[in-house]
Amino acid sequence: MKQLSFVVLFCLFALRISAQITASTSYPQEVNAGKSYFPSDELNFADSLANVEQGLPTALMIDPLLVQKRLASLQQRIPLNYNLQTHQFVEYFAFKKAEFTKRMLEKRDTYFPIYEKYLKQYNLPDELKYLSLIESGLEPKALSNKGAAGLWQFMPYTARGDFGMRVDSFVDERFDVEKATEAACKYLSQLHRIFGDWHMALAAYNTGPGNVKRAIRKCGKSDFWGIYDCLPKQTRAYVPQFIAMTYMMNYNWDHAIQAEKYHQVIPSDTIHVKGYLNLALLNRLASISTDTFRVLNPHVLAAILPADVRKIIIRIPKDKVAYFQANRLAILDSAGYVSRSDSLAFQFVDRLVKKTITVKRGQNLYDIARIVGTSVSELKRVNHLRSNRLKKGKRIAYYTRIREKVNLASSSFDAPNDSIPVVVRKPAAKKQIRYYKVRSGDTLSDIAERHNGLTVEKLKKINHLRSKAILRPGMRLRIS
């Protein structure tokens, strides 16, 4: 009987504590799925970074006070609010998606220096570099099921119309790391000027400024948590994901997540090209492997560049630059020459053509979208419409694809008489990354002293360690 009484009292105490916790929180209780890209090895995850079970977690595995304190210490220009949604995504990235977090740690050194350069140039918060992890999983060729592409997930019409990027079947500059990052900085600056709040700017980056403004009108509030319930489901999870990822990139060690195989960067330099080019021939003459060219130039989609290319940046390996510059004219002339048998110069090309349709009596936007084979949202965007209602006789513009055979070369060049020698080089030896396994009692200065050329500061930098980082036996530290 005493045991039964004890169990009953314990249950009542637990319910009371749970009620106090629930009552003390003023943030929304609904946790919804986020809409972001996942790499190809997780396509079954259906393009969602936060497709978590609905409802409240049965137990929190990480101390809430610890997460709250750490977020407060990390906060700079963007508020890092702590609440249930934020905490749930911290645990999501720490446990359920620990492998994803590890991959982000392995790739970040490749892209963060580029992000930091442009964020500084546009006077934006440095912590915005973590946004790309949620957007694309640091995959430069990321493509969502809605057509958003690249590290910063631009839609085609936004990339073309607002930021002047080339997007077609030959070149898609949304996949160009530098151009996409600069465009993202410009767009985030615009959104912050519109809303005056970074959480609102992030929400608008995810769902569009129009949806955020509608949520403001509907909820009557002007902050993210105030309009939380009026936002689309995927956008509700977007800011909590960003905050959680900011936390994980700074406290990964404390959750036993660390990089193991760092992403290798190929040193490269840029060249500017224009006009028709047979890229396979260019690579062969410049002694560049096709795989290396594709890695360095994810924005180049085809085996050729068409004649209407005015100025495109191509990246080539650093160790090939001197040879290329010495033979530049001969290489480009040869790659730009079109023979009669060059089938690459004559191809079927898909083009977007703008057309219009006249509204008949009784038709609405849904009817028009069904007739022309596009979406209602696309028609609204193209025609700057807010309502689905249409007046008889109104002309609605839309885009459709047509396929035509075109000559991609504007003119032919005489084939050069002199053949270009191909330099055969031994492949450069890859730098081996070395690691050290922490033993009991080790300090950073001890480890630095044991290895020539290593300092405590360098050790902290290459391992992304904080000043007060605690070393635990079994940790693997990168030492070269």
Side-chain angles (χ1 to χ4, degrees):
M1 189 67 181
K2 289 182 178 180
Q3 290 180 340
L4 181 61
S5 300
F6 176 77
V7 170
V8 171
L9 287 171
F10 179 79
C11 291
L12 289 171
F13 176 75
L15 287 170
R16 183 180 178 185
I17 293 296
S18 176
Q20 288 175 349
I21 292 173
T22 304
S24 65
T25 56
S26 58
Y27 43 81
Q29 295 297 314
E30 183 179 359
V31 180
N32 289 286
K35 188 74 175 174
S36 296
Y37 172 83
F38 244 80
S40 56
D41 59 340
E42 297 191 19
L43 287 177
N44 291 334
F45 211 64
D47 189 31
S48 173
L49 193 60
N51 196 11
V52 293
E53 295 81 359
Q54 299 298 305
L56 301 179
T58 55
L60 299 178
M61 300 176 69
I62 304 173
D63 182 4
L65 291 177
L66 181 65
V67 177
Q68 187 174 13
K69 182 179 178 182
R70 287 175 172 176
L71 286 175
S73 70
L74 287 174
Q75 182 169 307
Q76 296 178 43
R77 291 169 63 183
I78 300 179
L80 300 178
N81 303 60
Y82 174 81
N83 54 36
L84 180 62
Q85 279 69 26
T86 303
H87 190 107
Q88 190 167 14
F89 279 112
V90 166
E91 297 204 350
Y92 179 73
F93 291 127
F95 302 115
K96 189 171 183 179
K97 284 296 164 187
E99 186 63 27
F100 173 82
T101 304
K102 187 184 82 170
R103 287 202 305 274
M104 297 305 95
L105 293 167
E106 292 169 346
K107 291 180 179 181
R108 65 180 177 180
D109 288 349
T110 301
Y111 302 107
F112 277 14
I114 299 170
Y115 294 172
E116 289 162 0
K117 177 180 75 172
Y118 284 105
L119 289 169
K120 185 177 181 181
Q121 180 179 327
Y122 286 89
N123 192 30
L124 295 174
D126 183 74
E127 54 268 39
L128 284 173
K129 62 191 176 188
Y130 302 119
L131 190 65
S132 174
L133 281 64
I134 302 301
E135 281 290 330
S136 64
L138 293 183
E139 287 285 341
K141 296 280 287 201
L143 185 64
S144 79
N145 58 358
K146 290 191 174 181
L151 287 164
W152 294 95
Q153 292 290 279
F154 279 103
M155 295 296 285
Y157 47 81
T158 305
R160 286 195 206 98
D162 296 340
F163 301 105
M165 287 191 274
R166 178 165 182 149
V167 180
D168 57 35
S169 56
F170 300 99
V171 177
D172 192 336
E173 291 182 325
R174 295 177 297 167
F175 297 130
D176 185 304
V177 179
E178 298 262 354
K179 287 208 168 188
T181 301
E182 185 169 17
C185 289
K186 290 178 180 178
Y187 191 30
L188 287 164
S189 295
Q190 292 174 9
L191 294 173
H192 187 253
R193 283 196 297 271
I194 292 170
F195 296 102
D197 177 278
W198 277 115
H199 284 177
M200 298 288 274
L202 294 180
Y205 191 92
N206 175 253
T207 192
N211 284 334
V212 173
K213 289 177 180 178
R214 277 189 286 274
I216 292 172
R217 290 195 295 269
K218 187 175 180 181
C219 275
K221 301 288 181 65
S222 58
D223 66 290
F224 176 80
W225 303 106
I227 65 170
Y228 181 92
D229 290 323
C230 300
L231 288 168
K233 289 183 178 181
Q234 67 271 20
T235 308
R236 297 179 200 175
Y238 193 69
V239 170
Q241 287 175 41
F242 167 75
I243 294 172
M245 187 51 69
T246 302
Y247 171 93
M248 289 306 303
M249 289 294 103
N250 287 275
Y251 288 100
N252 57 290
W253 288 101
D254 296 299
H255 302 289
I257 303 174
Q258 56 183 304
E260 292 181 2
K261 187 179 179 181
Y262 283 90
H263 191 255
Q264 296 293 320
V265 180
I266 302 173
S268 64
D269 208 340
T270 59
I271 60 170
H272 295 265
V273 298
K274 62 180 181 179
Y276 173 80
L277 279 178
N278 183 325
L279 296 174
L281 182 57
L282 181 144
N283 287 334
R284 181 164 62 82
L285 297 175
S287 196
I288 301 170
S289 75
T290 303
D291 289 341
T292 300
F293 185 85
R294 285 173 179 167
V295 170
L296 292 176
N297 300 280
H299 59 297
V300 178
L301 307 182
I304 59 98
L305 293 179
D308 66 345
V309 168
R310 295 290 174 261
K311 186 179 179 183
I312 291 292
I313 293 175
I314 297 292
R315 293 177 180 85
I316 60 175
K318 202 103 177 173
D319 62 344
K320 308 292 184 185
V321 172
Y323 174 74
F324 183 90
Q325 295 295 3
N327 298 276
R328 181 187 180 101
L329 184 60
I331 292 175
L332 292 180
D333 278 357
S334 296
Y337 170 74
V338 185
S339 68
R340 291 181 180 179
S341 60
D342 191 354
S343 61
L344 289 175
F346 300 90
Q347 292 188 6
F348 285 97
V349 177
D350 286 337
R351 294 190 184 279
L352 281 178
V353 178
K354 191 173 185 179
K355 294 186 176 183
T356 60
I357 183 173
T358 303
V359 179
K360 295 178 181 178
R361 183 176 181 178
Q363 287 183 329
N364 58 30
L365 209 55
Y366 290 99
D367 299 323
I368 301 297
R370 187 169 60 253
I371 292 169
V372 302
T374 188
S375 65
V376 172
S377 59
E378 175 69 5
L379 289 178
K380 282 185 175 180
R381 185 194 66 80
V382 173
N383 294 277
H384 307 288
L385 299 173
R386 289 189 176 184
S387 172
N388 294 333
R389 295 179 181 177
L390 299 174
K391 291 182 179 179
K392 178 185 175 182
K394 183 176 178 62
R395 297 180 69 82
I396 299 296
Y398 66 98
Y399 286 93
T400 185
R401 289 184 182 273
I402 63 169
R403 173 159 287 198
E404 57 186 10
K405 188 175 183 179
V406 296
N407 181 359
L408 302 174
S410 60
S411 61
S412 298
F413 297 88
D414 290 332
N417 296 323
D418 299 328
S419 60
I420 301 174
V422 177
V423 178
V424 179
R425 300 175 184 269
K426 292 183 180 179
K430 291 184 178 179
K431 292 183 179 179
Q432 292 293 325
I433 298 176
R434 295 189 299 142
Y435 296 91
Y436 174 80
K437 192 172 183 178
V438 177
R439 301 169 188 167
S440 180
D442 275 344
T443 64
L444 291 177
S445 46
D446 293 336
I447 297 170
E449 287 174 6
R450 289 182 200 145
H451 302 90
N452 292 332
L454 194 62
T455 64
V456 172
E457 288 305 314
K458 187 176 180 181
L459 201 56
K460 287 180 181 177
K461 184 176 179 180
I462 62 178
N463 289 281
H464 302 282
L465 295 173
R466 301 175 67 81
S467 299
K468 298 180 181 179
I470 300 173
L471 299 184
R472 296 188 178 87
M475 273 186 178
R476 290 177 73 225
L477 292 181
R478 182 178 173 180
I479 57 174
S480 70

